[in-house]
């Protein structure tokens, strides 16, 4: 059985980590915005669920230009969410309940309200204060054109002009100026941040946009030109490690430096990279002298199709094993359409077009989507490595695709000229009770409106109810902890088309039917089925169903 004790340095290798988006988890003070005391109050829910750790999305001071990822102070708490004392209380209670605590680290950029950026604006061109960021003169006769053709992830130029005529780089929102990681003071400050949170008992870090820190800032700066304005698509057309601002080889020296800091603690603090790169390049971030793990977005993006999933699982395990890491698996997070809805969209569906239609074109079968999501969850939890669970997926929450445009908060909406609806639909606050102005999220309303259908997904509606999605997660996590042994997987031979079947190292098996027809259920004792009670008898294995067998 895997050891998840506080003294095990490898606790993270097969842990289940629960992502908390604090502003949407629980509101303790009734202002409509989730907060740290709300998280602390609801920690018993996570303990009873059976997860090993919680990962807190940003709770730092922020004007919410990008949902909290525009950080004004990396070593403080947003006053609307609480205080450092509230954080300390949260961490202490989590540890009392046996939960590890992981916090988000946002090192690529700061908020434009950060004291450093305000100093840079006041100091003017050529000042040492500007060297902490990426300021450049513009092109054209009067410097009126951006320094390069680089594009922001949120649309438009990645450069913003300031009143004195210079331009600063922002790969995301204009309120998020990029830091210059060639600057010694930037590197020293983040070492201080790592120690600050580690000293407060944090067990690990999730590193936002981990692949973007190192940039080629030699003059003249390179346009992407024929490689495409979209920085991420250009990754595929440039030699590995040579993109001007993504996945450069020099970024790994930064993380080796971090690892030296993290290893001064007992047990060493862990870290996981959010690096939107594929295969062997992604694995470099997870080497033993770097960040331990890297998110596997290839798995999240794989369609509900047996051979495609088998291939990505096989490749992901081999890639992680090659660098001594464990694989990671994730189905939903704060940036993507929730998987009960996403897995029901026909192959090739443009998700933004679907969101812009309010989720009506094409229409999604919520009941079948939930069935498929439950099967996908049991498949994921049976795989060797760590599983990252996004808040609310244990309730089976679908995407809220029909949010009125007047309530949207995601900067994607405005910065793309209101043509991309953004990520608000997966960030709608959680329902805890079946009634109330925000279904138990808080004493008043919620910062994003919840649909009436959330009442039937609420914790209160599912707690103790046999066959509910909440109880499925609780049972699966309890059983998984008992079954975990080693990090090996063996594909079983002679499986029908459309079926995934594998054995774990101590002999238990996972079988998933992704086809449209029932298939014979292999011999063995059914330990757990994703199908609701009554659908999982001794007969054939129904479509969109996963079973664990002894």
């Amino acid at each position: 059985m895997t050891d998840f004790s506080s003294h095990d340095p490898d606790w993270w290798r097969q842990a289940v980590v629960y992502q908390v988006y604090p502003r949407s988890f629980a509101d303790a003070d009734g202002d409509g915005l989730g907060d740290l005391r709300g998280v602390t109050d609801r920690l018993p829910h996570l303990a009873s669920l059976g997860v090993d750790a919680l990962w807190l999305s940003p709770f730092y001071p922020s004007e919410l230009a990008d949902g909290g990822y525009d950080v004004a102070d990396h070593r403080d708490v947003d006053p609307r969410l609480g205080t450092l004392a509230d954080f300390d209380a949260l961490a202490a209670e989590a540890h009392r309940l046996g939960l590890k605590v992981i916090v988000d680290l946002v090192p690529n950029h700061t908020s434009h309200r950060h004291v450093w950026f305000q100093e840079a604006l006041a100091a003017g061109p050529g000042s040492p204060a500007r060297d902490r960021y990426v300021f450049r003169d513009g092109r054209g006769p009067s410097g009126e054109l951006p320094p390069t053709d680089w594009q922001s992830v949120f649309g438009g130029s990645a450069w913003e002009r300031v009143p004195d005529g210079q331009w600063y780089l922002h790969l995301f929102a204009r309120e998020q100026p990029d830091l210059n990681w060639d600057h010694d003071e930037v590197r020293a400050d983040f070492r201080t941040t790592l120690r600050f949170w580690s000293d407060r008992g944090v067990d690990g870090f999730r590193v936002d946009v981990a692949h973007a820190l190192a940039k080629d800032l030699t003059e003249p700066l390179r346009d992407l030109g024929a490689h495409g304005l979209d920085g991420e698509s250009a990754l595929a057309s440039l030699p590995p490690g040579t993109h001007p601002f993504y996945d450069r080889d020099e970024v790994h020296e930064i993380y080796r430096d971090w690892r030296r800091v993290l290893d001064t603690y007992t047990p060493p603090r862990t870290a996981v990279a959010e690096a939107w790169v594929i295969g062997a390049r992604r694995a470099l971030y997870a080497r033993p002298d770097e960040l331990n793990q890297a998110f596997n977005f290839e798995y999240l993006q794989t369609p509900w199709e047996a051979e495609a999933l088998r291939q990505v699982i096989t490749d992901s395990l081999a890639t992680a094993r090659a660098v001594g890491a464990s694989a990671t698996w994730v189905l939903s997070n704060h940036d993507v359409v929730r998987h009960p809805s996403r897995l029901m969209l026909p192959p090739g569906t443009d998700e933004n077009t679907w969101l812009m239609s309010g989720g009506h074109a094409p229409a999604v079968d919520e009941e079948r989507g939930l069935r498929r999501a439950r099967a996908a969850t049991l498949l994921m939890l049976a795989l060797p490595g760590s599983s990252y669970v996004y808040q609310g997926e244990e309730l089976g929450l679908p995407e809220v695709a029909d949010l009125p445009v007047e309530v949207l908060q995601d900067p994607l909406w405005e910065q793309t000229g209101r043509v991309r609806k953004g990520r608000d639909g997966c960030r709608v606050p959680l329902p805890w009770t079946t009634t109330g102005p925000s279904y138990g999220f808080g004493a008043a309303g919620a910062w994003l409106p919840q649909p009436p259908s959330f009442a039937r997904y609420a914790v209160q509606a599912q707690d103790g109810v046999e066959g509910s999605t909440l109880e499925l997660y609780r049972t699966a996590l309890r059983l998984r902890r008992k079954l975990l042994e080693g990090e090996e997987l063996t594909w079983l031979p002679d499986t029908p088309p459309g079926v995934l079947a594998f054995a774990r190292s101590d002999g238990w098996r996972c079988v998933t039917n992704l086809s449209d027809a029932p298939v014979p259920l292999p011999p063995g004792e059914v330990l757990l089925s994703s199908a609701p009670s009554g659908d999982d008898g001794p007969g054939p294995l129904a479509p969109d169903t996963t079973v664990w067998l002894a």
Side-chain angles (χ1 to χ4, degrees), residues 197-252:
W197 294 110
S198 296
D199 289 345
R200 300 190 95 90
V202 161
D203 302 285
F205 300 88
R206 178 264 191 187
V207 184
D208 185 62
V209 200
H211 60 304
L213 274 58
K215 299 174 176 69
D216 181 5
L217 299 178
T218 55
E219 297 289 351
L221 298 181
R222 289 184 288 148
D223 280 342
L224 284 171
H227 296 289
L229 295 178
D230 183 324
E232 290 185 354
S233 64
L235 272 172
S237 60
L238 290 167
T242 67
H243 191 288
F245 51 85
Y246 282 151
D247 192 37
R248 293 188 58 78
D249 291 336
E250 306 94 284
V251 77
H252 297 288

Side-chain angles (χ1 to χ4, degrees), residues 303-311 497-500 514:
W304 187 246
E305 195 274 317
E307 282 309 307
L309 280 168
R310 177 176 174 136
Q311 190 62 56
V499 174
L500 288 177
L514 297 94

Side-chain angles (χ1 to χ4, degrees), residues 41-104:
D41 291 345
R42 295 294 187 178
L43 286 177
H45 172 74
L46 302 190
S48 71
L49 191 61
V51 300
D52 305 298
L54 69 147
W55 147 31
L56 286 166
S57 290
F59 50 85
Y60 313 112
S62 170
E63 65 175 323
L64 303 183
D66 181 22
Y69 285 86
D70 48 313
V71 179
D73 185 342
H74 293 85
R75 299 191 287 273
D76 204 353
V77 175
D78 191 307
R80 291 166 293 181
L81 274 67
T83 64
L84 282 170
D86 291 329
F87 176 85
D88 292 341
L90 188 162
E93 180 63 7
H95 289 147
R96 188 188 72 80
L97 292 170
L99 298 166
K100 306 288 188 182
V101 179
I102 295 171
V103 299
D104 232 307

Side-chain angles (χ1 to χ4, degrees), residues 287-309:
R287 288 178 288 193
D289 62 344
E290 293 193 35
L291 297 178
N292 295 135
Q293 288 187 322
F295 281 133
N296 179 3
F297 295 116
E298 292 161 70
Y299 182 73
L300 182 151
Q301 295 168 330
T302 303
W304 187 246
E305 195 274 317
E307 282 309 307
L309 280 168

